[in-house]
Structure formats: C-alpha cells, structure tokens
Amino acid sequence: MSRPAIAHIRLDAFRHNYRVAKQLHGGKSLAVIKANGYGHGAVQCAQAIANEADGFAVACLEEALQLRQAGIKNPILLLEGFFEVAELPEIVTNDLWIVVHAQWQVEILLAAKLAKPLYIWLKMDSGMHRVGLPPADYPLALMRLSGHVSVEKIVAMSHFANADNLSSEHTKQQIALFQQTIKGLETADISLANSAAILGWSQAKASWSRPGIMLYGADPLMTAATKLRPVMQLNSKIISIRHIKKGESIGYGSIFTAERDTVVGVVACGYADGYPRAATDASAAVDGVMTHLIGRVSMDMLFVDLTDIPQAKIGSNVELWGDQVLANDVAKAAGTIAYELFCNTKRVQFKYSDN
Ligand SMILES: *Cc1c(COP(=O)(O)O)cnc(C)c1O
C-alpha cells in the first residue's frame, strides 16, 4: 500500500460553488484560481467550469500560460498585471486581460505599441493601501486610457481590506470613496466584490465579481448556514495504535500527557503535507466519528485520540479536513485561515472526481 495521505478534489463541488457565487452576486464572475487554484489544481478547476465561466483570475503570466497551454480559452485576468514591460507581447499574443494598478504601468501602456489593444482592469486603492491608483490620480488615468490605441476596454475595480467583517466601517468608506471617485466618469463595467463581499456586502454588487475562497467551499464569514460545498477533502489513515497509561506522554516535546489511560492513533499526515503544526488540538473524524488531535504534529505523522472510538483500527480512514471537519475550524485551531491550509497542501496524492 502506498502512503494513504490523499487530497480528494471534488470538481462537481467547485462547479456548484461557482454557480452559487455567480447567482448570489449577479452579473459576470471571474473565478479566482491563482496559486494553483488555492492549492487545488488550477488546470483541473478551470477545466471543470470552462464551458460556463465568464473568466479566470490568476496572479501572473506564468499561471495564465499554464491555463492557455492546457487549452483554456476563457478570458484570463492577471491580477497584478505585468511586472515588467517585456511581458506585454506575450500578454497580447495569449489574449490576457490585465489589472493596471500603478502609475508606472499606466505610462508604459500609454507609450506602448501593441499588436492589439488590451482589455484592462484599472484598479483604485480605495483604502486597502496595497496596490491600486490613489483616488486623486484615478480619474485622469482613466481618461487618458479611455479610447487610447493600447486599450480595448476598461473595467473599474477595487479590493476590500475588511469585507469579512460585516460591521466594518472601513468597507463602507471604501465603497463610498470608490463610488464618489468614479462619479461622472465613463465606466461601463465595475468590479469590487471578493468572496466575503459577495456573501456579505450587497452594496458592493457590480457588473463583475471575483470569488476565490468560496469556490473552494470555505466561507470567509464563517457563517453556519452556507450553500457552499467543500471541494478538498484531506484524508489519511491510522497506521499504528498505541495504548498509553495515565501519566505517560507522547510525541515531540511530550506536550500531551494522558489524564486517563488513552488509546492513540498515529495518522500518516504531517506538516510536510501542509497540515499546520500549530493545530495541536484540532478536530479530526475517524471513520466518521469526531475526535481531536493530541500531542505535537510532526513532519509525517500526527496523533488522534481513539479512546472513545473502540471500533477504530489500523487502516481506519481519518478526515483531517473536508466535510465533517471544516478547513476553517482547523485553520482557527492553528491561528490561520483556510486559504493558507489549502495553498500549503502538498506531497499528498491529489485525486480528482467529478460527479
Ligand atoms: C485573491 C483575490 C480575490 C479573491 O479573494 P477571495 O477572498 O479568495 O474571494 C479577489 N480579488 C483580488 C484582487 C484578489 O487578489
């Protein structure tokens, strides 16, 4: 038997979540599949919705070319646009859309001699202060780019810093500043909402949405009632069972000491697979029964408490996250977010299904 650590990727759930996102927001929807589809496999995710997706968004040219080489014909947006002018010919040849987020990019475009004009998403920094043109510079940039020979079409966009906080004043200010800045300007298309805004901020509705994490079935608002279906199920198996006496400890650092005689299951999954080392007391499900980790997560193995699961045996299935154990909850136990867990999942076998 080969190592039983497996990430099952349910592409039907991915497709379902795309439809949920698109329906909730209305208009068109770019599926964000940067960073290898948040660790799920960008090509497989793209292929699963290629015949219905309005487009895809990735972080860079290399990620877009991987999709083009796999035969993806849908629009693909580069979320940071170009990093240097030398990328422009390939961007044009491969029919890619670009975010324009900085004045230096505006100037390059205005001076460029392109084989074909580009579809651009002009980004405003409405308060996140990461990338985007300051509101004071935005109208002039938009006017100079509109109708320019390098430009086919412009979508006005911005991104929220706190959309996952439903009572955020900051998000309200971002929306107000964006709307005030584009007032009176010619902008047919607008895009503001990431997953959290699609789920929680109806004021951010516009012609385009940009869902990411919700497509993978993790709700960034952590609400209980959700129509989203988890896409990744990270499973492994019990490879050894130990009986330790009250007072004995297990694992590195002996951080767990048994308060009663304890049955310990050793599971073939560790931090080298992307399971977060900090999640020392996260939940896990053994053959469908909920239990929790004990002791320290090591590189290739972790421990679960089997004391109250007498039917567990070597070979029992362990869900580390997926349907019974939410990735959000494991992330919380580790002081991080599901995004990071998904992106870090590695070494395990990836198995795809589409029902
Ligand atoms: C990653 C990203 C998204 C998707 O965000 P989620 O929180 O995963 O929905 C949307 N827009 C931009 C600009 C991004 O970088």
Side-chain angles (χ1 to χ4, degrees), residues 69-195:
Q69 276 147 20
I72 297 297
K73 304 264 190 292
N74 311 57
I76 301 174
L77 177 67
L78 306 182
L79 287 167
E80 279 106 76
F82 53 93
F83 297 87
E84 52 175 346
V85 65
E87 292 174 273
L88 279 173
E90 255 192 306
I91 287 172
V92 171
T93 323
N94 287 281
D95 246 323
L96 304 174
W97 296 358
I98 58 169
V99 167
V100 174
H101 63 74
Q103 196 62 42
W104 67 265
Q105 292 177 322
V106 174
E107 301 305 333
I108 284 175
L109 279 180
L110 291 172
K113 300 257 182 301
L114 305 175
K116 260 190 315 184
L118 282 171
Y119 196 120
I120 69 174
W121 290 48
L122 188 62
K123 190 166 188 174
M124 186 194 305
D125 174 13
S126 58
M128 172 137 173
H129 304 322
R130 185 175 59 178
V131 292
L133 296 172
D137 301 342
Y138 195 86
L140 181 60
L142 185 78
M143 282 186 284
R144 290 171 73 205
L145 289 166
S146 300
H148 188 275
V149 288
S150 292
V151 179
E152 177 197 340
K153 192 175 166 76
I154 304 179
V155 178
M157 76 176 288
S158 194
H159 192 56
F160 296 123
N162 295 289
D164 55 347
N165 171 3
L166 291 183
S167 51
S168 156
E169 279 306 316
H170 190 245
T171 305
K172 289 179 200 162
Q173 288 162 9
Q174 284 197 263
I175 296 171
L177 180 56
F178 179 84
Q179 282 168 349
Q180 188 191 319
T181 307
I182 62 162
K183 210 169 175 182
L185 298 172
E186 281 200 33
T187 45
D189 281 300
I190 290 174
S191 177
L192 297 174
N194 60 356
S195 299

